[in-house]
PDB file of all heavy atoms in Angstrom:
ATOM      1  N   GLY A 170     -33.926 -33.107  59.689  1.00  0.00           N
ATOM      2  CA  GLY A 170     -34.870 -32.001  59.889  1.00  0.00           C
ATOM      3  C   GLY A 170     -36.007 -32.406  60.829  1.00  0.00           C
ATOM      4  O   GLY A 170     -36.407 -31.647  61.707  1.00  0.00           O
ATOM      5  N   MET A 171     -36.524 -33.624  60.636  1.00  0.00           N
ATOM      6  CA  MET A 171     -37.592 -34.106  61.531  1.00  0.00           C
ATOM      7  C   MET A 171     -37.057 -34.269  62.960  1.00  0.00           C
ATOM      8  O   MET A 171     -37.762 -34.031  63.933  1.00  0.00           O
ATOM      9  CB  MET A 171     -38.164 -35.430  61.019  1.00  0.00           C
ATOM     10  CG  MET A 171     -38.991 -35.303  59.752  1.00  0.00           C
ATOM     11  SD  MET A 171     -40.533 -34.371  59.953  1.00  0.00           S
ATOM     12  CE  MET A 171     -41.649 -35.672  60.512  1.00  0.00           C
ATOM     13  N   ALA A 173     -34.792 -32.382  64.306  1.00  0.00           N
ATOM     14  CA  ALA A 173     -34.760 -31.034  64.880  1.00  0.00           C
ATOM     15  C   ALA A 173     -36.166 -30.534  65.201  1.00  0.00           C
ATOM     16  O   ALA A 173     -36.386 -29.850  66.208  1.00  0.00           O
ATOM     17  CB  ALA A 173     -34.067 -30.084  63.898  1.00  0.00           C
ATOM     18  N   ILE A 174     -37.136 -30.895  64.353  1.00  0.00           N
ATOM     19  CA  ILE A 174     -38.529 -30.512  64.648  1.00  0.00           C
ATOM     20  C   ILE A 174     -38.962 -31.155  65.972  1.00  0.00           C
ATOM     21  O   ILE A 174     -39.657 -30.536  66.783  1.00  0.00           O
ATOM     22  CB  ILE A 174     -39.458 -30.897  63.475  1.00  0.00           C
ATOM     23  CG1 ILE A 174     -39.198 -29.964  62.284  1.00  0.00           C
ATOM     24  CG2 ILE A 174     -40.934 -30.847  63.885  1.00  0.00           C
ATOM     25  CD1 ILE A 174     -39.965 -30.316  61.024  1.00  0.00           C
ATOM     26  N   ALA A 175     -38.491 -32.383  66.190  1.00  0.00           N
ATOM     27  CA  ALA A 175     -38.804 -33.061  67.462  1.00  0.00           C
ATOM     28  C   ALA A 175     -38.234 -32.277  68.646  1.00  0.00           C
ATOM     29  O   ALA A 175     -38.864 -32.190  69.700  1.00  0.00           O
ATOM     30  CB  ALA A 175     -38.252 -34.481  67.447  1.00  0.00           C
ATOM     31  N   HIS A 176     -37.043 -31.698  68.482  1.00  0.00           N
ATOM     32  CA  HIS A 176     -36.475 -30.881  69.568  1.00  0.00           C
ATOM     33  C   HIS A 176     -37.456 -29.742  69.904  1.00  0.00           C
ATOM     34  O   HIS A 176     -37.689 -29.428  71.079  1.00  0.00           O
ATOM     35  CB  HIS A 176     -35.156 -30.220  69.165  1.00  0.00           C
ATOM     36  CG  HIS A 176     -34.048 -31.146  68.773  1.00  0.00           C
ATOM     37  ND1 HIS A 176     -34.025 -32.476  69.088  1.00  0.00           N
ATOM     38  CD2 HIS A 176     -32.888 -30.904  68.087  1.00  0.00           C
ATOM     39  CE1 HIS A 176     -32.908 -33.015  68.611  1.00  0.00           C
ATOM     40  NE2 HIS A 176     -32.209 -32.085  67.999  1.00  0.00           N
ATOM     41  N   CYS A 177     -37.998 -29.127  68.845  1.00  0.00           N
ATOM     42  CA  CYS A 177     -38.873 -27.961  69.043  1.00  0.00           C
ATOM     43  C   CYS A 177     -40.187 -28.360  69.699  1.00  0.00           C
ATOM     44  O   CYS A 177     -40.655 -27.705  70.639  1.00  0.00           O
ATOM     45  CB  CYS A 177     -39.206 -27.297  67.701  1.00  0.00           C
ATOM     46  SG  CYS A 177     -37.797 -26.878  66.726  1.00  0.00           S
ATOM     47  N   VAL A 178     -40.807 -29.422  69.172  1.00  0.00           N
ATOM     48  CA  VAL A 178     -42.098 -29.861  69.702  1.00  0.00           C
ATOM     49  C   VAL A 178     -41.932 -30.190  71.180  1.00  0.00           C
ATOM     50  O   VAL A 178     -42.700 -29.738  72.044  1.00  0.00           O
ATOM     51  CB  VAL A 178     -42.609 -31.085  68.899  1.00  0.00           C
ATOM     52  CG1 VAL A 178     -43.808 -31.711  69.563  1.00  0.00           C
ATOM     53  CG2 VAL A 178     -42.936 -30.676  67.469  1.00  0.00           C
ATOM     54  N   GLU A 179     -40.882 -30.940  71.479  1.00  0.00           N
ATOM     55  CA  GLU A 179     -40.676 -31.352  72.875  1.00  0.00           C
ATOM     56  C   GLU A 179     -40.343 -30.150  73.773  1.00  0.00           C
ATOM     57  O   GLU A 179     -40.759 -30.090  74.921  1.00  0.00           O
ATOM     58  CB  GLU A 179     -39.546 -32.377  72.931  1.00  0.00           C
ATOM     59  CG  GLU A 179     -39.359 -32.972  74.304  1.00  0.00           C
ATOM     60  CD  GLU A 179     -39.447 -34.483  74.313  1.00  0.00           C
ATOM     61  OE1 GLU A 179     -40.551 -35.011  74.091  1.00  0.00           O
ATOM     62  OE2 GLU A 179     -38.424 -35.109  74.533  1.00  0.00           O
ATOM     63  N   LEU A 181     -41.498 -27.338  73.752  1.00  0.00           N
ATOM     64  CA  LEU A 181     -42.688 -26.576  74.150  1.00  0.00           C
ATOM     65  C   LEU A 181     -43.437 -27.239  75.312  1.00  0.00           C
ATOM     66  O   LEU A 181     -44.244 -26.598  75.961  1.00  0.00           O
ATOM     67  CB  LEU A 181     -43.631 -26.396  72.956  1.00  0.00           C
ATOM     68  CG  LEU A 181     -43.118 -25.421  71.892  1.00  0.00           C
ATOM     69  CD1 LEU A 181     -44.019 -25.432  70.660  1.00  0.00           C
ATOM     70  CD2 LEU A 181     -43.027 -23.996  72.436  1.00  0.00           C
ATOM     71  N   SER A 191     -39.024 -21.521  74.609  1.00  0.00           N
ATOM     72  CA  SER A 191     -40.307 -21.592  73.896  1.00  0.00           C
ATOM     73  C   SER A 191     -40.295 -20.695  72.659  1.00  0.00           C
ATOM     74  O   SER A 191     -40.797 -21.080  71.592  1.00  0.00           O
ATOM     75  CB  SER A 191     -41.466 -21.181  74.823  1.00  0.00           C
ATOM     76  OG  SER A 191     -41.575 -22.113  75.877  1.00  0.00           O
ATOM     77  N   ALA A 192     -39.706 -19.502  72.807  1.00  0.00           N
ATOM     78  CA  ALA A 192     -39.646 -18.585  71.653  1.00  0.00           C
ATOM     79  C   ALA A 192     -38.749 -19.173  70.556  1.00  0.00           C
ATOM     80  O   ALA A 192     -39.090 -19.121  69.363  1.00  0.00           O
ATOM     81  CB  ALA A 192     -39.114 -17.216  72.097  1.00  0.00           C
ATOM     82  N   PHE A 193     -37.618 -19.747  70.955  1.00  0.00           N
ATOM     83  CA  PHE A 193     -36.714 -20.374  69.978  1.00  0.00           C
ATOM     84  C   PHE A 193     -37.441 -21.504  69.250  1.00  0.00           C
ATOM     85  O   PHE A 193     -37.355 -21.640  68.029  1.00  0.00           O
ATOM     86  CB  PHE A 193     -35.481 -20.967  70.679  1.00  0.00           C
ATOM     87  CG  PHE A 193     -34.409 -19.961  71.020  1.00  0.00           C
ATOM     88  CD1 PHE A 193     -34.619 -18.605  70.897  1.00  0.00           C
ATOM     89  CD2 PHE A 193     -33.171 -20.397  71.466  1.00  0.00           C
ATOM     90  CE1 PHE A 193     -33.622 -17.687  71.215  1.00  0.00           C
ATOM     91  CE2 PHE A 193     -32.156 -19.494  71.783  1.00  0.00           C
ATOM     92  CZ  PHE A 193     -32.382 -18.146  71.661  1.00  0.00           C
ATOM     93  N   ALA A 194     -38.125 -22.348  70.023  1.00  0.00           N
ATOM     94  CA  ALA A 194     -38.785 -23.521  69.434  1.00  0.00           C
ATOM     95  C   ALA A 194     -39.860 -23.087  68.446  1.00  0.00           C
ATOM     96  O   ALA A 194     -39.982 -23.643  67.346  1.00  0.00           O
ATOM     97  CB  ALA A 194     -39.393 -24.381  70.538  1.00  0.00           C
ATOM     98  N   ALA A 195     -40.642 -22.079  68.816  1.00  0.00           N
ATOM     99  CA  ALA A 195     -41.727 -21.634  67.940  1.00  0.00           C
ATOM    100  C   ALA A 195     -41.165 -21.064  66.633  1.00  0.00           C
ATOM    101  O   ALA A 195     -41.670 -21.348  65.544  1.00  0.00           O
ATOM    102  CB  ALA A 195     -42.578 -20.591  68.663  1.00  0.00           C
ATOM    103  N   GLU A 196     -40.081 -20.279  66.737  1.00  0.00           N
ATOM    104  CA  GLU A 196     -39.492 -19.690  65.526  1.00  0.00           C
ATOM    105  C   GLU A 196     -38.851 -20.780  64.657  1.00  0.00           C
ATOM    106  O   GLU A 196     -38.975 -20.758  63.417  1.00  0.00           O
ATOM    107  CB  GLU A 196     -38.451 -18.618  65.910  1.00  0.00           C
ATOM    108  CG  GLU A 196     -37.636 -18.046  64.767  1.00  0.00           C
ATOM    109  CD  GLU A 196     -38.475 -17.308  63.701  1.00  0.00           C
ATOM    110  OE1 GLU A 196     -39.699 -17.187  63.848  1.00  0.00           O
ATOM    111  OE2 GLU A 196     -37.873 -16.860  62.696  1.00  0.00           O
ATOM    112  N   ALA A 197     -38.208 -21.741  65.292  1.00  0.00           N
ATOM    113  CA  ALA A 197     -37.590 -22.832  64.519  1.00  0.00           C
ATOM    114  C   ALA A 197     -38.667 -23.643  63.797  1.00  0.00           C
ATOM    115  O   ALA A 197     -38.495 -24.003  62.627  1.00  0.00           O
ATOM    116  CB  ALA A 197     -36.765 -23.731  65.439  1.00  0.00           C
ATOM    117  N   LEU A 198     -39.779 -23.901  64.468  1.00  0.00           N
ATOM    118  CA  LEU A 198     -40.870 -24.646  63.819  1.00  0.00           C
ATOM    119  C   LEU A 198     -41.394 -23.888  62.611  1.00  0.00           C
ATOM    120  O   LEU A 198     -41.628 -24.465  61.548  1.00  0.00           O
ATOM    121  CB  LEU A 198     -42.012 -24.876  64.808  1.00  0.00           C
ATOM    122  CG  LEU A 198     -41.863 -26.065  65.754  1.00  0.00           C
ATOM    123  CD1 LEU A 198     -42.998 -26.090  66.769  1.00  0.00           C
ATOM    124  CD2 LEU A 198     -41.832 -27.377  64.969  1.00  0.00           C
ATOM    125  N   ARG A 199     -41.584 -22.578  62.802  1.00  0.00           N
ATOM    126  CA  ARG A 199     -42.088 -21.756  61.693  1.00  0.00           C
ATOM    127  C   ARG A 199     -41.152 -21.873  60.486  1.00  0.00           C
ATOM    128  O   ARG A 199     -41.598 -22.094  59.358  1.00  0.00           O
ATOM    129  CB  ARG A 199     -42.182 -20.293  62.175  1.00  0.00           C
ATOM    130  CG  ARG A 199     -42.928 -19.358  61.252  1.00  0.00           C
ATOM    131  CD  ARG A 199     -42.802 -17.909  61.715  1.00  0.00           C
ATOM    132  NE  ARG A 199     -41.442 -17.387  61.618  1.00  0.00           N
ATOM    133  CZ  ARG A 199     -40.843 -17.015  60.486  1.00  0.00           C
ATOM    134  NH1 ARG A 199     -41.491 -17.089  59.351  1.00  0.00           N
ATOM    135  NH2 ARG A 199     -39.598 -16.548  60.496  1.00  0.00           N
ATOM    136  N   LEU A 200     -39.832 -21.768  60.736  1.00  0.00           N
ATOM    137  CA  LEU A 200     -38.857 -21.857  59.644  1.00  0.00           C
ATOM    138  C   LEU A 200     -38.855 -23.245  59.014  1.00  0.00           C
ATOM    139  O   LEU A 200     -38.869 -23.388  57.791  1.00  0.00           O
ATOM    140  CB  LEU A 200     -37.448 -21.526  60.170  1.00  0.00           C
ATOM    141  CG  LEU A 200     -37.158 -20.057  60.473  1.00  0.00           C
ATOM    142  CD1 LEU A 200     -35.856 -19.915  61.257  1.00  0.00           C
ATOM    143  CD2 LEU A 200     -37.058 -19.259  59.176  1.00  0.00           C
ATOM    144  N   PHE A 201     -38.845 -24.283  59.852  1.00  0.00           N
ATOM    145  CA  PHE A 201     -38.769 -25.654  59.329  1.00  0.00           C
ATOM    146  C   PHE A 201     -40.011 -26.031  58.512  1.00  0.00           C
ATOM    147  O   PHE A 201     -39.892 -26.654  57.455  1.00  0.00           O
ATOM    148  CB  PHE A 201     -38.617 -26.664  60.462  1.00  0.00           C
ATOM    149  CG  PHE A 201     -37.183 -26.983  60.805  1.00  0.00           C
ATOM    150  CD1 PHE A 201     -36.753 -26.998  62.123  1.00  0.00           C
ATOM    151  CD2 PHE A 201     -36.247 -27.287  59.812  1.00  0.00           C
ATOM    152  CE1 PHE A 201     -35.437 -27.301  62.442  1.00  0.00           C
ATOM    153  CE2 PHE A 201     -34.933 -27.593  60.127  1.00  0.00           C
ATOM    154  CZ  PHE A 201     -34.528 -27.600  61.444  1.00  0.00           C
ATOM    155  N   VAL A 202     -41.195 -25.694  59.039  1.00  0.00           N
ATOM    156  CA  VAL A 202     -42.418 -26.114  58.345  1.00  0.00           C
ATOM    157  C   VAL A 202     -42.436 -25.509  56.932  1.00  0.00           C
ATOM    158  O   VAL A 202     -42.850 -26.157  55.969  1.00  0.00           O
ATOM    159  CB  VAL A 202     -43.675 -25.732  59.173  1.00  0.00           C
ATOM    160  CG1 VAL A 202     -44.943 -25.912  58.356  1.00  0.00           C
ATOM    161  CG2 VAL A 202     -43.740 -26.585  60.442  1.00  0.00           C
ATOM    162  N   ALA A 203     -41.886 -24.283  56.794  1.00  0.00           N
ATOM    163  CA  ALA A 203     -41.853 -23.655  55.464  1.00  0.00           C
ATOM    164  C   ALA A 203     -40.668 -24.139  54.623  1.00  0.00           C
ATOM    165  O   ALA A 203     -40.807 -24.388  53.418  1.00  0.00           O
ATOM    166  CB  ALA A 203     -41.778 -22.136  55.622  1.00  0.00           C
ATOM    167  N   ALA A 204     -39.480 -24.282  55.243  1.00  0.00           N
ATOM    168  CA  ALA A 204     -38.259 -24.499  54.432  1.00  0.00           C
ATOM    169  C   ALA A 204     -37.865 -25.961  54.270  1.00  0.00           C
ATOM    170  O   ALA A 204     -37.244 -26.306  53.255  1.00  0.00           O
ATOM    171  CB  ALA A 204     -37.092 -23.725  55.067  1.00  0.00           C
ATOM    172  N   LEU A 205     -38.193 -26.833  55.230  1.00  0.00           N
ATOM    173  CA  LEU A 205     -37.707 -28.216  55.116  1.00  0.00           C
ATOM    174  C   LEU A 205     -38.261 -28.933  53.877  1.00  0.00           C
ATOM    175  O   LEU A 205     -37.476 -29.549  53.134  1.00  0.00           O
ATOM    176  CB  LEU A 205     -38.001 -28.998  56.414  1.00  0.00           C
ATOM    177  CG  LEU A 205     -37.399 -30.406  56.456  1.00  0.00           C
ATOM    178  CD1 LEU A 205     -35.870 -30.382  56.361  1.00  0.00           C
ATOM    179  CD2 LEU A 205     -37.825 -31.146  57.730  1.00  0.00           C
ATOM    180  N   ALA A 224     -32.773 -22.652  61.695  1.00  0.00           N
ATOM    181  CA  ALA A 224     -33.765 -23.336  62.532  1.00  0.00           C
ATOM    182  C   ALA A 224     -33.120 -24.440  63.352  1.00  0.00           C
ATOM    183  O   ALA A 224     -33.513 -24.691  64.498  1.00  0.00           O
ATOM    184  CB  ALA A 224     -34.877 -23.901  61.650  1.00  0.00           C
ATOM    185  N   LEU A 227     -31.628 -22.908  66.470  1.00  0.00           N
ATOM    186  CA  LEU A 227     -32.706 -22.544  67.407  1.00  0.00           C
ATOM    187  C   LEU A 227     -33.286 -23.799  68.059  1.00  0.00           C
ATOM    188  O   LEU A 227     -33.581 -23.819  69.247  1.00  0.00           O
ATOM    189  CB  LEU A 227     -33.805 -21.786  66.666  1.00  0.00           C
ATOM    190  CG  LEU A 227     -33.450 -20.373  66.190  1.00  0.00           C
ATOM    191  CD1 LEU A 227     -34.481 -19.879  65.171  1.00  0.00           C
ATOM    192  CD2 LEU A 227     -33.361 -19.405  67.369  1.00  0.00           C
ATOM    193  N   ALA A 228     -33.443 -24.860  67.251  1.00  0.00           N
ATOM    194  CA  ALA A 228     -34.019 -26.113  67.766  1.00  0.00           C
ATOM    195  C   ALA A 228     -33.095 -26.745  68.802  1.00  0.00           C
ATOM    196  O   ALA A 228     -33.545 -27.193  69.868  1.00  0.00           O
ATOM    197  CB  ALA A 228     -34.259 -27.087  66.613  1.00  0.00           C
ATOM    198  N   LEU A 261     -42.397 -39.352  65.953  1.00  0.00           N
ATOM    199  CA  LEU A 261     -42.847 -37.994  66.319  1.00  0.00           C
ATOM    200  C   LEU A 261     -44.361 -37.770  66.209  1.00  0.00           C
ATOM    201  O   LEU A 261     -44.964 -37.237  67.149  1.00  0.00           O
ATOM    202  CB  LEU A 261     -42.067 -36.945  65.512  1.00  0.00           C
ATOM    203  CG  LEU A 261     -42.362 -35.480  65.866  1.00  0.00           C
ATOM    204  CD1 LEU A 261     -42.056 -35.191  67.334  1.00  0.00           C
ATOM    205  CD2 LEU A 261     -41.564 -34.541  64.967  1.00  0.00           C
ATOM    206  N   ARG A 278     -50.272 -23.818  71.838  1.00  0.00           N
ATOM    207  CA  ARG A 278     -48.961 -23.246  71.468  1.00  0.00           C
ATOM    208  C   ARG A 278     -48.432 -23.905  70.203  1.00  0.00           C
ATOM    209  O   ARG A 278     -47.906 -23.254  69.314  1.00  0.00           O
ATOM    210  CB  ARG A 278     -47.931 -23.488  72.579  1.00  0.00           C
ATOM    211  CG  ARG A 278     -48.292 -22.848  73.876  1.00  0.00           C
ATOM    212  CD  ARG A 278     -47.117 -22.901  74.778  1.00  0.00           C
ATOM    213  NE  ARG A 278     -46.160 -21.896  74.368  1.00  0.00           N
ATOM    214  CZ  ARG A 278     -45.331 -21.304  75.198  1.00  0.00           C
ATOM    215  NH1 ARG A 278     -45.356 -21.619  76.457  1.00  0.00           N
ATOM    216  NH2 ARG A 278     -44.499 -20.396  74.765  1.00  0.00           N
ATOM    217  N   LEU A 279     -48.556 -25.237  70.158  1.00  0.00           N
ATOM    218  CA  LEU A 279     -48.038 -25.955  68.984  1.00  0.00           C
ATOM    219  C   LEU A 279     -48.844 -25.617  67.735  1.00  0.00           C
ATOM    220  O   LEU A 279     -48.280 -25.419  66.659  1.00  0.00           O
ATOM    221  CB  LEU A 279     -48.092 -27.461  69.220  1.00  0.00           C
ATOM    222  CG  LEU A 279     -46.800 -28.131  69.641  1.00  0.00           C
ATOM    223  CD1 LEU A 279     -46.983 -29.632  69.692  1.00  0.00           C
ATOM    224  CD2 LEU A 279     -45.665 -27.792  68.673  1.00  0.00           C
ATOM    225  N   ALA A 280     -50.163 -25.547  67.908  1.00  0.00           N
ATOM    226  CA  ALA A 280     -51.009 -25.237  66.751  1.00  0.00           C
ATOM    227  C   ALA A 280     -50.626 -23.863  66.196  1.00  0.00           C
ATOM    228  O   ALA A 280     -50.537 -23.669  64.970  1.00  0.00           O
ATOM    229  CB  ALA A 280     -52.479 -25.273  67.139  1.00  0.00           C
ATOM    230  N   ALA A 281     -50.347 -22.896  67.100  1.00  0.00           N
ATOM    231  CA  ALA A 281     -49.941 -21.557  66.645  1.00  0.00           C
ATOM    232  C   ALA A 281     -48.635 -21.647  65.863  1.00  0.00           C
ATOM    233  O   ALA A 281     -48.473 -21.034  64.804  1.00  0.00           O
ATOM    234  CB  ALA A 281     -49.788 -20.622  67.845  1.00  0.00           C
ATOM    235  N   ALA A 282     -47.690 -22.460  66.389  1.00  0.00           N
ATOM    236  CA  ALA A 282     -46.395 -22.590  65.707  1.00  0.00           C
ATOM    237  C   ALA A 282     -46.559 -23.268  64.336  1.00  0.00           C
ATOM    238  O   ALA A 282     -45.754 -23.045  63.430  1.00  0.00           O
ATOM    239  CB  ALA A 282     -45.425 -23.383  66.570  1.00  0.00           C
ATOM    240  N   PHE A 283     -47.608 -24.080  64.192  1.00  0.00           N
ATOM    241  CA  PHE A 283     -47.861 -24.766  62.913  1.00  0.00           C
ATOM    242  C   PHE A 283     -48.845 -23.970  62.042  1.00  0.00           C
ATOM    243  O   PHE A 283     -49.463 -24.533  61.142  1.00  0.00           O
ATOM    244  CB  PHE A 283     -48.420 -26.170  63.159  1.00  0.00           C
ATOM    245  CG  PHE A 283     -47.357 -27.201  63.411  1.00  0.00           C
ATOM    246  CD1 PHE A 283     -46.891 -27.434  64.693  1.00  0.00           C
ATOM    247  CD2 PHE A 283     -46.817 -27.927  62.374  1.00  0.00           C
ATOM    248  CE1 PHE A 283     -45.902 -28.375  64.940  1.00  0.00           C
ATOM    249  CE2 PHE A 283     -45.821 -28.878  62.601  1.00  0.00           C
ATOM    250  CZ  PHE A 283     -45.367 -29.097  63.897  1.00  0.00           C
ATOM    251  N   GLY A 284     -49.000 -22.706  62.349  1.00  0.00           N
ATOM    252  CA  GLY A 284     -49.861 -21.858  61.525  1.00  0.00           C
ATOM    253  C   GLY A 284     -51.317 -22.283  61.583  1.00  0.00           C
ATOM    254  O   GLY A 284     -52.033 -22.173  60.581  1.00  0.00           O
ATOM    255  N   ARG A 286     -52.528 -25.265  61.917  1.00  0.00           N
ATOM    256  CA  ARG A 286     -52.815 -26.637  61.474  1.00  0.00           C
ATOM    257  C   ARG A 286     -52.686 -27.622  62.630  1.00  0.00           C
ATOM    258  O   ARG A 286     -51.966 -27.354  63.604  1.00  0.00           O
ATOM    259  CB  ARG A 286     -51.847 -27.032  60.348  1.00  0.00           C
ATOM    260  CG  ARG A 286     -52.224 -26.392  59.032  1.00  0.00           C
ATOM    261  CD  ARG A 286     -51.228 -26.750  57.951  1.00  0.00           C
ATOM    262  NE  ARG A 286     -50.027 -25.930  58.053  1.00  0.00           N
ATOM    263  CZ  ARG A 286     -48.925 -26.131  57.355  1.00  0.00           C
ATOM    264  NH1 ARG A 286     -48.855 -27.128  56.514  1.00  0.00           N
ATOM    265  NH2 ARG A 286     -47.884 -25.342  57.480  1.00  0.00           N
ATOM    266  N   PRO A 288     -51.074 -30.181  64.722  1.00  0.00           N
ATOM    267  CA  PRO A 288     -49.648 -30.509  64.743  1.00  0.00           C
ATOM    268  C   PRO A 288     -49.360 -31.973  64.395  1.00  0.00           C
ATOM    269  O   PRO A 288     -48.502 -32.249  63.541  1.00  0.00           O
ATOM    270  CB  PRO A 288     -49.222 -30.206  66.187  1.00  0.00           C
ATOM    271  CG  PRO A 288     -50.254 -29.257  66.698  1.00  0.00           C
ATOM    272  CD  PRO A 288     -51.526 -29.602  66.009  1.00  0.00           C
ATOM    273  N   LEU A 292     -47.384 -33.297  61.041  1.00  0.00           N
ATOM    274  CA  LEU A 292     -46.135 -34.065  61.128  1.00  0.00           C
ATOM    275  C   LEU A 292     -46.273 -35.405  60.403  1.00  0.00           C
ATOM    276  O   LEU A 292     -45.360 -35.852  59.710  1.00  0.00           O
ATOM    277  CB  LEU A 292     -45.764 -34.297  62.602  1.00  0.00           C
ATOM    278  CG  LEU A 292     -45.345 -33.016  63.338  1.00  0.00           C
ATOM    279  CD1 LEU A 292     -45.278 -33.255  64.847  1.00  0.00           C
ATOM    280  CD2 LEU A 292     -43.995 -32.528  62.817  1.00  0.00           C
ATOM    281  N   MET A 295     -45.999 -34.749  56.729  1.00  0.00           N
ATOM    282  CA  MET A 295     -44.603 -34.496  56.323  1.00  0.00           C
ATOM    283  C   MET A 295     -43.865 -35.823  56.215  1.00  0.00           C
ATOM    284  O   MET A 295     -43.136 -36.074  55.249  1.00  0.00           O
ATOM    285  CB  MET A 295     -43.901 -33.569  57.335  1.00  0.00           C
ATOM    286  CG  MET A 295     -44.336 -32.117  57.209  1.00  0.00           C
ATOM    287  SD  MET A 295     -43.687 -31.073  58.537  1.00  0.00           S
ATOM    288  CE  MET A 295     -42.063 -30.701  57.920  1.00  0.00           C
TER     289      MET A 295
END
Side-chain angles (χ1 to χ4, degrees):
M171 289 294 274
I174 288 175
H176 300 342
C177 307
V178 170
E179 186 124 291
L181 289 173
S191 295
F193 280 10
E196 173 62 2
L198 277 174
R199 191 188 67 76
L200 286 168
F201 269 133
V202 169
L205 186 61
L227 290 165
L261 184 59
R278 298 192 76 151
L279 261 186
F283 276 88
R286 284 178 280 171
L292 292 168
M295 285 172 83

